[in-house]
Amino acid sequence: MAKRVKLLPQDRGTVLFDVMFEDGSRASNRRVPMDILGGLDGDQPARDLIEKQEAEIAEKAGRPPRAIQSLTRAAKPEPKPARD
């Protein structure tokens, strides 16, 4: 039987970001499409997209949106060793 090979987020066309909010909470591995990143704006489009996502999540949860303190790219995951 063939094994399913999982693709890394970079292979799927997304970049992962870790988000720190001003209230001290953290959200890891927020996915952002690669095609909106780069250029002269750097990671600012990612911040805009994550702020929009946070506003939608907060609206559904019935709470005010959290303000983003910092946004950093998540480290690439270590490849898992192949099993026999």
Side-chain angles (χ1 to χ4, degrees):
M1 176 185 260
K3 290 185 179 182
R4 180 176 164 246
V5 177
K6 290 186 178 181
L7 295 176
L8 294 173
Q10 294 81 9
D11 297 336
R12 286 182 271 174
T14 59
V15 177
L16 301 177
F17 283 89
D18 290 332
V19 184
M20 286 294 296
F21 295 100
E22 290 181 355
D23 63 357
S25 60
R26 178 179 167 192
S28 298
N29 297 334
R30 284 288 195 67
R31 294 180 189 274
V32 175
M34 278 185 178
D35 55 342
I36 68 167
L37 298 176
L40 298 176
D41 294 333
D43 289 342
Q44 184 60 37
R47 179 181 281 271
D48 297 338
L49 179 67
I50 291 173
E51 285 175 349
K52 180 182 171 190
Q53 290 174 349
E54 180 61 28
E56 292 172 1
I57 292 167
E59 181 181 340
K60 290 177 183 178
R63 61 170 171 78
R66 299 177 288 183
I68 295 176
Q69 179 181 0
S70 66
L71 185 71
T72 57
R73 289 183 185 228
K76 290 184 179 181
E78 294 290 326
K80 294 182 181 178
R83 291 177 23 183
D84 293 330

